[in-house]
Amino acid sequence: MNNKSNYKYLLSDLSTLKGVGPKTVNLLKKKKINNIFDLLWKLPRTFTDRSLSSKIRDLHIGENQTITIIPQKYYFPRIRNLPNKVLCTDDTGELDCIFFNSYEGYVKKILPLGKEITISGKINRFRNRYQLTNPKYISENSSLIRKKHNTYSLTDGISEKVYNKIIDQIINKLPILEEWHSEDILNKFNNYSWNKSIIELHKPENIGKNKKKFYQRLAFDEIFSTFLVNSEIRKKVKKNKKESKVFDLNKQNKIIETLEFSLTNDQLKAIREINNDLCSSTKMFRLLQGDVGSGKTIVALISAFNSINSGFQVALMAPTEILARQHFNLAKKIFPKNLEIELISSKTDTKEKKVILNKLENHKIDIIFGTHAIFQKKVLFKRLGLIIIDEQHKFGVNQRKRLSDKGGNNCDVLLMTATPIPRTLTMTIYGDMDLSIIREKPKTRKPIQTYSKIETKIEDILKFINKEIKLGNQIFWVCPLIEESKKLDHASALKKFEFLKKKFPNQVSLLHGKTNPEEKESILNNFLEKKFDILVSTTIIEVGIDFPNATVIIIENSNKFGLSQLHQLRGRVGRGNKNSTCILMFKSNLSENARKRINILKKTNDGFLISEEDMKLRGYGDILGFKQSGIKNFKLADPIQNNDLFLLAEKEMKRIEKSNEDISKFKPLIKLYDRADIINDIV
Ligand code: ADP
Ligand code: MG
């Protein structure tokens, strides 16, 4: 390296490596290894120890052995398919090296007669002679062979030897990066530098040593870079001064008093936190996180009301039209009659839409509800003061930032999500936002009774739902995920639909991945209006819609789902004040582990707790919402095992924020570890 401190070497293309041709580059790219830095995280799984010396006399058949021999004689048969052979000796005996499909020139080159050569490989015995067939480890330089050789989980088409060579090459050229961490932090990791840590990480004897300080330091780097990016986004959002909102709390309280229920303490706390943001001179960028049915909508609407009261317009975006309409209807019910409330939906005709757009532009509308359509370019606001986004899981960190930019300087942003996740993950995925959490469920809410049932007892279930239908209740029937295949999901849902239709004529409808959006809206609307009793579907129904009459959800093949997903699915029922039931169906008797999982669901209705258990059982990568977050998986850090590192990273980040420290020294860290592809906006 001409510049030993330049991190950019690590970001260079794979083709700059010696011995890496276009074929290897393509194979690696398929594994999402795009540059040299990515390769650093291709860690050995185990190693083969080739350091031990042996003599021919003491060779063990069938084992990997390393010996130093002298080639004595070549046998190059002129008959096709017969292998080339080299007779080799040491001072204790003879051994034949056998080469299939090889060229004479090659054999002569690697095993020159009379020279001491070290070879390693599995020994076999043939016609009473020791043999080593197609030896891969051969060198005149015995130190290249006599060592521990890392074994990788191999990418098809790339051999272990090639991996070892590539990775050795990178480690040898590793730039020495200027330390970015403070002394205090570094001390906690035995002062391991980044460079030294990487070298340690790749030593065969350190495989899997994730408690060691060098490993922890590297995991910390990863977490910390994510937190830094989050912090930078937050800083950017807060940098612009906005016009503080000024409103009369009495008016807010009047609305709260007229509600049919009293708000929970967590709801009130969230309202206070949001109000503080609205009134401050910096932009709000806040996430309202709460389990399904925890009552986020009313909190959002109160915030909307306060913003309107201080002379601003509000836009609320929901993922589906039905949900937008439900929010719209609630607003019309609880807001004073003099507010201008509108909904844009696909049913709004062109003329009407034009009128609405015109009114929006002239501030004749106070609040508008709709799907993403309300954020199209042609939709202009006169004085937009608050954007509320409900249940938009696909909103990654990039989209959030863009949204906040789009609203303009005076516009606050409130995001809502019903995906409770453990705190370490929330910090990772949503660390760019401030956070309000609703943990408490409304007191009137009855727990959803959860049962498990083996598939063969379907008659019992049919009897049960028959009874429920007679009581005027409705049923969700969720069909299994088969091998993650949409096509098969579809087929199984269709089959179940036909089956149930025979049992309950004219009472069943079907919704699946191929149902087009308009049809879907209309089916859901009909279900809402109780035009039929049983809705068979794959897992596609969005969260958030209130179906007050739906009291039963049946989930087939439920061990295919994660706990958090099951919990979210069951949240489709139990939103009214009736008793409700969730039946988890199984194909065969439950394993010990499956029983454990189900018991967690039966015991608690706390989505945060469930997600934590889910993460312990399945790892964080599969947790609901993480995949859509736009954040790449960690390479070393683990939100369960490394709770302490996450807390340390949070503390350090806050220290840096407070001290207003210059973060330019972290540039290499952020550039290297870019986990959300957002850094171009940041550094
Ligand atoms: P989510 O948090 O999933 O968006 P919603 O806001 O849709 O939940 O609320 C679910 C249901 O609970 C709605 O019917 C709502 O009217 C009701 N609700 C909200 N807050 C309370 C409360 N404090 N007490 C009783 N019911 C409530
Ligand atoms: Mg909701």
Side-chain angles (χ1 to χ4, degrees):
M1 275 308 295
N2 25 14
N3 187 351
K4 277 290 228 180
S5 68
N6 199 341
Y7 69 91
K8 284 183 185 153
Y9 163 71
L10 294 166
L11 293 175
S12 41
D13 213 72
L14 295 168
S15 58
T16 56
L17 288 166
K18 244 188 250 154
V20 175
K23 204 180 126 215
T24 310
V25 169
N26 278 336
L27 289 169
L28 290 170
K29 282 202 168 148
K30 266 190 204 145
K31 293 277 166 189
K32 297 205 168 107
I33 297 175
N34 292 313
N35 56 30
I36 294 180
F37 183 75
D38 292 342
L39 261 174
L40 283 179
W41 311 102
K42 178 90 198 166
L43 294 180
R45 302 224 131 181
T46 54
F47 62 84
T48 311
D49 191 350
R50 302 190 188 273
S51 64
L52 295 176
S53 226
S54 191
K55 289 285 183 184
I56 291 179
R57 188 181 50 204
D58 306 323
L59 284 176
H60 290 272
I61 312 288
E63 284 177 26
N64 267 313
Q65 312 264 289
T66 304
I67 45 179
T68 300
I69 43 86
I70 299 176
Q72 304 291 356
K73 194 162 190 254
Y74 300 126
Y75 296 91
F76 296 131
R78 300 287 158 222
I79 304 162
R80 262 183 55 196
N81 294 337
L82 275 188
N84 290 326
K85 193 164 94 181
V86 185
L87 167 70
C88 305
T89 58
D90 70 0
D91 49 7
T92 68
E94 294 185 351
L95 169 136
D96 296 330
C97 280
I98 309 289
F99 296 86
F100 286 94
N101 305 319
S102 57
Y103 295 106
E104 283 181 29
Y106 167 74
V107 173
K108 281 181 180 163
K109 191 175 149 214
I110 59 166
L111 287 177
L113 298 183
K115 279 236 162 113
E116 270 201 354
I117 308 286
T118 301
I119 58 176
S120 186
K122 247 185 206 146
I123 307 293
N124 55 314
R125 202 146 161 94
F126 185 71
R127 295 200 174 135
N128 230 6
R129 290 181 63 78
Y130 287 114
Q131 280 194 342
L132 186 53
T133 308
N134 289 342
K136 283 205 194 83
Y137 297 88
I138 303 186
S139 180
E140 281 181 47
N141 179 354
S142 81
S143 67
L144 289 182
I145 307 286
R146 291 189 190 283
K147 60 177 190 178
K148 290 170 177 148
H149 292 252
N150 287 335
T151 315
Y152 296 86
S153 72
L154 295 176
T155 304
D156 275 345
I158 303 180
S159 74
E160 209 153 274
K161 213 173 150 192
V162 171
Y163 260 127
N164 269 303
K165 251 182 153 164
I166 297 175
I167 289 178
D168 281 353
Q169 191 183 147
I170 299 172
I171 299 280
N172 286 333
K173 275 196 179 181
L174 212 59
I176 296 164
L177 305 179
E178 212 167 297
E179 184 56 57
W180 42 67
H181 286 308
S182 65
E183 251 172 59
D184 276 358
I185 290 292
L186 212 54
N187 259 324
K188 295 199 194 301
F189 302 107
N190 281 3
N191 293 316
Y192 266 110
S193 67
W194 182 85
N195 189 290
K196 179 99 171 56
S197 300
I198 292 280
I199 292 171
E200 290 296 319
L201 186 69
H202 283 269
K203 284 188 179 162
E205 60 268 29
N206 284 334
I207 291 170
K209 296 271 167 64
N210 56 9
K211 293 278 183 299
K212 292 267 174 149
K213 295 292 181 192
F214 62 84
Y215 196 106
Q216 302 254 311
R217 187 232 142 102
L218 293 172
F220 183 80
D221 278 341
E222 241 185 312
I223 301 164
F224 192 62
S225 74
T226 310
F227 283 17
L228 262 182
V229 170
N230 285 340
S231 158
E232 280 306 293
I233 298 175
R234 205 167 41 218
K235 257 193 245 163
K236 280 214 160 159
V237 170
K238 301 265 178 215
K239 209 165 75 193
N240 297 320
K241 290 282 163 253
K242 77 163 197 228
E243 185 184 331
S244 320
K245 297 189 168 60
V246 184
F247 47 86
D248 181 357
L249 276 182
N250 287 325
K251 287 185 181 166
Q252 164 199 295
N253 293 339
K254 243 185 221 157
I255 292 188
I256 294 177
E257 276 158 29
T258 55
L259 294 173
E260 290 157 1
F261 44 77
S262 48
L263 294 176
T264 63
N265 288 327
D266 280 359
Q267 283 174 315
L268 289 168
K269 185 161 164 265
I271 290 174
R272 275 197 306 274
E273 287 166 347
I274 295 168
N275 281 348
N276 274 340
D277 285 357
L278 297 177
C279 298
S280 88
S281 61
T282 54
K283 240 171 134 154
M284 170 164 81
F285 199 38
R286 185 171 285 276
L287 178 74
L288 179 58
Q289 190 182 33
D291 213 344
V292 265
S294 59
K296 294 182 290 293
T297 320
I298 189 70
V299 173
L301 289 186
I302 303 266
S303 327
F305 177 75
N306 287 333
S307 301
I308 294 167
N309 254 334
S310 47
F312 284 94
Q313 291 172 290
V314 177
L316 193 153
M317 176 178 125
T320 60
E321 282 194 19
I322 294 202
L323 197 51
R325 190 178 296 277
Q326 281 199 339
H327 293 344
F328 167 72
N329 287 336
L330 183 61
K332 281 214 299 208
K333 194 170 133 194
I334 66 169
F335 285 171
K337 297 293 162 262
N338 61 343
L339 294 202
E340 286 300 325
I341 307 170
E342 274 296 350
L343 171 78
I344 294 189
S345 81
S346 55
K347 287 178 204 81
T348 322
D349 66 39
T350 326
K351 212 171 112 197
E352 207 180 331
K353 214 175 250 169
K354 236 181 170 168
V355 175
I356 293 178
L357 291 186
N358 194 280
K359 278 176 154 181
L360 267 181
E361 221 180 319
N362 293 304
H363 201 165
K364 298 233 171 74
I365 289 173
D366 296 308
I367 179 165
I368 182 109
F369 292 84
T371 58
H372 57 276
I374 58 172
F375 288 119
Q376 280 165 358
K377 266 207 189 101
K378 58 178 182 199
V379 184
L380 299 172
F381 295 83
K382 174 93 182 254
R383 217 167 125 73
L384 186 59
L386 174 64
I387 294 175
I388 300 170
I389 313 281
D390 190 18
E391 306 288 4
Q392 194 52 274
H393 303 296
K394 290 186 193 102
F395 252 62
V397 54
N398 285 301
Q399 280 126 314
R400 292 203 291 271
K401 176 148 187 312
R402 244 178 272 139
L403 186 78
S404 162
D405 293 344
K406 186 186 158 83
N409 277 349
N410 282 328
C411 188
D412 292 306
V413 176
L414 179 67
L415 243 85
M416 297 194 273
T417 167
T419 317
I421 46 172
R423 203 176 104 79
T424 48
L425 267 196
T426 303
M427 290 193 282
T428 306
I429 304 176
Y430 299 112
D432 53 331
M433 312 186 83
D434 294 314
L435 186 64
S436 291
I437 297 181
I438 306 183
R439 242 194 131 121
E440 194 184 2
K441 298 263 165 68
K443 296 217 167 42
T444 51
R445 191 71 32 92
K446 297 198 175 107
I448 303 164
Q449 296 298 325
T450 302
Y451 304 99
S452 43
K453 201 98 189 159
I454 189 156
E455 213 175 62
T456 46
K457 300 219 167 143
I458 191 165
E459 286 302 325
D460 293 357
I461 297 175
L462 295 179
K463 251 185 240 158
F464 176 72
I465 61 178
N466 199 19
K467 209 177 76 202
E468 288 287 317
I469 292 172
K470 286 209 171 109
L471 289 171
N473 298 329
Q474 290 170 291
I475 322 287
F476 281 111
W477 192 298
V478 181
C479 281
L481 271 171
I482 304 168
E483 326 263 83
E484 314 271 73
S485 149
K486 283 220 169 92
K487 216 164 157 189
L488 289 175
D489 284 357
H490 174 82
S492 82
L494 204 67
K495 218 167 119 196
K496 191 53 50 114
F497 169 64
E498 298 294 342
F499 169 81
L500 288 169
K501 220 165 57 172
K502 277 188 203 122
K503 308 265 172 186
F504 303 94
N506 302 323
Q507 296 172 46
V508 195
S509 262
L510 171 67
L511 204 62
H512 53 71
K514 288 181 191 155
T515 318
N516 72 42
E518 278 131 66
E519 208 180 328
K520 184 175 161 187
E521 294 270 345
S522 115
I523 291 173
L524 287 176
N525 246 327
N526 288 342
F527 193 52
L528 206 54
E529 287 167 16
K530 242 176 143 249
K531 291 190 179 149
F532 61 92
D533 304 316
I534 304 173
L535 179 60
V536 178
S537 75
T538 49
T539 54
I540 56 166
I541 324 165
E542 279 79 6
V543 283
I545 306 173
D546 255 347
F547 295 97
N549 274 311
T551 58
V552 180
I553 182 159
I554 291 145
I555 305 171
E556 279 192 52
N557 214 359
S558 52
N559 43 335
K560 292 273 174 187
F561 298 103
L563 288 184
S564 300
Q565 204 181 2
L566 288 174
H567 175 67
Q568 259 208 347
L569 283 171
R570 87 174 157 184
R572 285 171 193 166
V573 300
R575 292 176 147 247
N577 37 25
K578 292 184 185 174
N579 281 318
S580 48
T581 311
C582 168
I583 301 175
L584 304 169
M585 280 174 82
F586 294 92
K587 272 204 181 318
S588 54
N589 279 326
L590 290 176
S591 69
E592 184 69 27
N593 200 20
R595 205 178 299 276
K596 244 190 224 158
R597 280 162 35 99
I598 296 314
N599 276 338
I600 295 167
L601 279 180
K602 285 182 182 172
K603 257 193 248 145
T604 178
N605 208 18
D606 179 341
F608 286 93
L609 218 119
I610 290 169
S611 78
E612 227 145 279
E613 293 300 321
D614 197 18
M615 192 160 88
K616 279 184 206 152
L617 290 166
R618 296 192 310 149
Y620 69 95
D622 287 329
I623 284 279
L624 221 49
F626 183 74
K627 278 198 183 128
Q628 297 104 317
S629 66
I631 289 187
K632 296 170 197 155
N633 275 5
F634 287 112
K635 299 170 203 304
L636 301 184
D638 183 318
I640 311 168
Q641 310 291 336
N642 302 132
N643 200 43
D644 53 336
L645 296 181
F646 280 81
L647 296 181
L648 181 65
E650 190 189 31
K651 207 170 132 202
E652 177 68 355
M653 183 189 78
K654 289 208 168 126
R655 184 192 67 75
I656 289 172
E657 273 178 7
K658 230 181 173 167
S659 66
N660 242 334
E661 208 170 294
D662 177 21
I663 68 149
S664 59
K665 63 175 178 170
F666 292 110
K667 190 170 169 173
L669 174 73
I670 296 176
K671 288 266 188 197
L672 289 173
Y673 286 84
D674 176 20
R675 298 188 48 250
D677 298 315
I678 196 170
I679 40 149
N680 285 338
D681 280 358
I682 303 297
V683 282

